[in-house]
Amino acid sequence: MNFTIKSASLEMEKHIFIILLLSLANACFGQHSSPRELYDSLFIRVQMESVFPDQKTFVDCIPKEGPEIILNKYHAEKDQQDFNLKNFVLNHFTLPQDAGGSYISNIGQNVKQHIGELWKVLSRTPDTISNRYSSLIPLPYSYVVPGGRFREIYYWDSYFTLLGLREDKDTAMIENMVRNFSYLIEQFGFIPNGNRTYYLTRSQPPFFSLMVEVLAELKGDTIYRHYLTDLEKEYNFWMRGSEALKTDASEKNSVNINGIILNRYWDDSDEPREESFKQDVDAAKQSAERPQDFYRNIRAAAESGWDFSSRWFEDGKNLSTIHTTEIIPVDLNCLLYHLEEMIAKGYQIKGDGQSEKDYETKARERKSAILQYCWNNHLHCFCDYGFVEKKPCNTITAAAIFPLFFKLATPAQAEQSQKILKKKLLRKGGIVTTANETGQQWDAPNGWAPLEYITIKGLQNYSFKRLAEKIAGRWIQLNVSVYKNTGKLTEKYNVEDLHLSGGGGEYPLQDGFGWTNGVLLKLMREYGTKD
């Protein structure tokens, strides 16, 4: 018994030491400088000349020398007649590898066995401080990455990955990933898009409270109290500036609508994204918006995870009309409702009745506002709300089911919502993200694992079991079929033409894939489908 206690104590001391070490390294080494800040004119030239087909490659490179040394060499050599930019980069940087490395799937395995192998391939041990100028922000605990070009942890992806890890009873990994997000909140006051320096200006859909909920279901309600400070810090990030907001005004992620605070997506930078620099510069030239406004809207859409979708386009068709920062997203506000509820629960367990009541009041007010502003009477479903135009948006999207997922909708609204879903978004392979075909990846014909899961669970919550089972069956069949034909589980799927792969967007279809694996495993176990 004494040995067990001593071992647990040593393990805790080890965790504390790792966190202190990483925190000290971040503070001392300027770990948070992004590639554009470090490499200035070299960065701009590499990205604008498309030295690498994928703009994410260079920002993930690891320098072989200090940035100042590299820049001095660049300025000394760049005007020489035989200067070759790509060779210069290859000589002074180590290129990143795809998350799966050289892994080749065994087509003889069934899909569940394949996912079991992929957890190992996509898992990362605690990060070491190997290069202080890498864009990677070291994390103190093990974690799972999505796959392909996504070789770091991603915020909202991780919740859906956790669903699969729970099915495989990997409580240790689940807890480690929650701990990593707690660490990021403690370091930065919020959870970045991913653990890269170039993601430090924005977050992603706030699923941390749902991850804490998963862990609490495994380890008990004291988990809510343990992570209460982190939950509240994240809430404060999304509510920045809200207390001083006047009616019909906005500040960062907060918007005051008739005295009620709702939230939007926002990025603190108004420059091109470093990981998509040339695409953003070129796209801005096609827009009538000021470049700074265009970049801010692009970045805000990246924070939403839906990068990109007609959902954010003023004309419903073209990226050039993107106006994300003028929209109150229904899914974001449902997530923040859940966050308020979980903070209230944490205070309840802590025994702070007044704080519990305060957050329950916030949650009730948000629920009322969602039902008021995000219900579209004309379309008979939930939509985003255009707070500048002061009317609901008219794009039907899979985000419409979030109020059902969080049990916010009235029975009548749920009934109408499932009818619209079945009529407008149901396809042969599952639910399409929107019915619009724009060439963007978060539009038709693509379906995505997180939205399939949210839809299925939302329908189950209101006893639309037959439709939920139909969508789950179609999605499972599509995933398994693609795996049997290709040996891959991919980031997204074409749910309209089952013979074609998912497409659109800024980069090729990615293999891996964390949230696909998690949702597929969860649904297969729940519906008893054979692979």
Side-chain angles (χ1 to χ4, degrees):
M1 178 65 71
N2 289 337
F3 174 77
T4 303
I5 294 173
K6 185 176 180 181
S7 298
S9 177
L10 288 173
E11 186 67 18
M12 180 62 68
E13 290 178 5
K14 176 184 175 184
H15 290 325
I16 293 172
F17 176 75
I18 291 171
I19 290 175
L20 288 174
L21 186 63
L22 289 180
S23 299
L24 180 63
N26 286 340
C28 294
F29 296 150
Q31 180 75 21
H32 305 151
S33 297
S34 70
R36 185 177 184 184
E37 293 169 327
L38 292 173
Y39 305 112
D40 193 27
S41 58
L42 172 61
F43 167 85
I44 293 174
R45 186 173 174 188
V46 169
Q47 297 295 63
M48 291 305 295
E49 293 186 17
S50 298
V51 169
F52 302 104
D54 186 344
Q55 296 259 296
K56 195 173 182 298
T57 301
F58 183 61
V59 294
D60 290 356
C61 283
I62 299 175
K64 297 177 182 179
E65 303 165 286
E68 187 175 350
I69 296 173
I70 293 174
L71 277 174
N72 286 338
K73 289 182 178 180
Y74 168 68
H75 288 301
E77 299 175 21
K78 67 183 179 67
D79 294 325
Q80 295 177 7
Q81 189 173 359
D82 61 347
F83 178 76
N84 183 290
L85 182 59
K86 184 170 186 177
N87 287 342
F88 180 87
V89 172
L90 295 176
N91 287 335
H92 295 285
F93 294 86
T94 300
L95 268 59
Q97 300 296 313
D98 275 357
S102 58
Y103 172 75
I104 299 175
S105 60
N106 178 0
I107 199 70
Q109 293 179 321
N110 65 43
V111 72
K112 291 179 183 175
Q113 293 170 328
H114 178 62
I115 291 173
E117 287 294 317
L118 283 175
W119 292 143
K120 302 172 188 175
V121 173
L122 299 176
S123 292
R124 299 293 178 266
T125 56
D127 294 314
T128 57
I129 310 160
S130 58
N131 190 305
R132 64 186 185 181
Y133 298 116
S134 167
S135 64
L136 187 72
I137 298 169
L139 295 176
Y141 305 103
S142 56
Y143 56 97
V144 177
V145 302
R149 73 197 288 267
F150 302 110
R151 50 186 76 90
E152 50 281 306
I153 203 168
Y154 280 81
Y155 182 6
W156 78 307
D157 293 59
S158 296
Y159 169 68
F160 301 96
T161 298
L162 258 57
L163 296 177
L165 293 172
R166 182 176 181 179
E167 293 302 317
D168 275 343
K169 298 179 172 55
D170 195 346
T171 302
M173 180 62 85
I174 292 171
E175 185 161 26
N176 282 338
M177 291 177 72
V178 173
R179 284 172 170 174
N180 279 326
F181 288 125
S182 170
Y183 169 77
L184 289 170
I185 291 172
E186 291 166 5
Q187 289 293 302
F188 305 110
F190 74 107
I191 298 173
N193 188 142
N195 60 318
R196 291 281 179 183
T197 57
Y198 52 82
Y199 286 146
L200 285 175
T201 57
R202 65 175 179 269
S203 186
Q204 267 196 328
F207 274 86
F208 181 63
S209 61
L210 282 91
M211 291 188 244
V212 170
E213 189 173 40
V214 169
L215 187 59
E217 289 168 355
L218 294 168
K219 303 199 71 174
D221 281 356
T222 56
I223 290 295
Y224 293 110
R225 184 174 60 194
H226 181 77
Y227 288 103
L228 178 58
T229 299
D230 297 322
L231 290 166
E232 202 156 23
K233 282 182 179 178
E234 170 157 76
Y235 184 71
N236 291 338
F237 164 78
W238 287 96
M239 300 299 288
R240 293 175 296 168
S242 61
E243 291 183 1
L245 273 182
K246 297 179 180 179
T247 298
D248 295 330
S250 58
E251 176 67 24
K252 296 188 181 295
N253 292 97
S254 299
V255 181
N256 185 320
I257 304 177
N258 296 325
I260 298 295
I261 301 299
L262 289 172
N263 296 84
R264 64 176 175 179
Y265 289 113
W266 177 266
D267 190 301
D268 285 341
S269 175
D270 62 358
E271 297 182 346
R273 291 168 298 154
E274 295 186 27
E275 73 281 10
S276 302
F277 192 82
K278 188 177 189 301
Q279 288 102 316
D280 286 359
V281 171
D282 290 345
K285 295 174 183 176
Q286 307 302 316
S287 176
E289 299 176 21
R290 291 191 318 149
Q292 299 98 311
D293 295 335
F294 180 81
Y295 297 141
R296 179 94 67 190
N297 283 311
I298 282 282
R299 284 172 166 270
E303 183 174 68
S304 79
W306 291 46
D307 43 346
F308 297 106
S309 170
S310 57
R311 177 184 184 186
W312 311 124
F313 304 163
E314 192 167 14
D315 69 356
K317 301 176 182 178
N318 298 295
L319 182 67
S320 60
T321 67
I322 191 167
H323 66 145
T324 320
T325 58
E326 297 180 355
I327 292 171
I328 299 293
V330 60
D331 47 358
L332 170 60
N333 284 279
C334 288
L335 286 161
L336 290 172
Y337 164 82
H338 184 269
L339 177 54
E340 289 162 340
E341 287 280 279
M342 293 303 100
I343 294 173
K345 187 166 187 173
Y347 276 118
Q348 178 192 29
I349 294 167
K350 187 179 179 180
D352 185 340
Q354 185 57 54
S355 295
E356 177 193 355
K357 289 179 182 178
D358 290 344
Y359 277 94
E360 285 290 0
T361 298
K362 293 176 189 290
R364 283 196 303 272
E365 289 177 348
R366 188 182 297 273
K367 175 180 178 179
S368 177
I370 291 170
L371 297 182
Q372 178 180 353
Y373 292 107
C374 294
W375 178 256
N376 190 314
N377 282 313
H378 175 67
L379 295 178
H380 306 295
C381 68
F382 287 98
C383 292
D384 301 325
Y385 181 77
F387 70 87
V388 173
E389 296 183 340
K390 298 184 177 181
K391 63 180 183 180
C393 301
N394 286 317
T395 301
I396 297 173
T397 79
I401 304 301
F402 272 72
L404 280 67
F405 181 82
F406 289 107
K407 302 179 182 179
L408 291 170
T410 66
Q413 288 172 332
E415 174 68 32
Q416 290 178 302
S417 294
Q418 66 91 20
K419 288 180 179 178
I420 293 298
L421 173 74
K422 188 164 26 176
K423 181 178 180 181
K424 298 291 186 179
L425 300 181
L426 181 61
R427 300 291 189 273
K428 296 177 182 178
I431 292 298
V432 71
T433 311
T434 78
N436 301 328
E437 293 201 27
T438 63
Q440 300 296 337
Q441 62 176 350
W442 289 86
D443 281 320
N446 291 337
W448 296 74
L451 301 181
E452 305 296 326
Y453 179 76
I454 293 291
T455 299
I456 292 163
K457 297 302 289 185
L459 292 170
Q460 288 177 346
N461 286 340
Y462 288 82
S463 299
F464 301 116
K465 295 180 179 179
R466 183 173 297 179
L467 180 56
E469 185 174 2
K470 179 182 290 187
I471 295 169
R474 292 181 181 187
W475 180 254
I476 292 169
Q477 185 176 9
L478 174 58
N479 281 218
V480 172
S481 175
V482 169
Y483 169 68
K484 288 181 176 180
N485 290 329
T486 67
K488 297 180 179 181
L489 290 170
T490 58
E491 179 191 20
K492 55 184 179 275
Y493 291 82
N494 187 323
V495 296
E496 293 188 345
D497 187 335
L498 307 190
H499 300 291
L500 299 177
S501 60
E506 299 178 313
Y507 53 84
L509 184 65
Q510 299 297 301
D511 181 24
F513 196 85
W515 64 16
T516 300
N517 306 340
V519 169
L520 180 58
L521 197 57
K522 171 76 172 174
L523 293 178
M524 290 182 77
R525 294 270 167 82
E526 184 170 343
Y527 285 92
T529 305
K530 296 181 180 180
D531 58 0

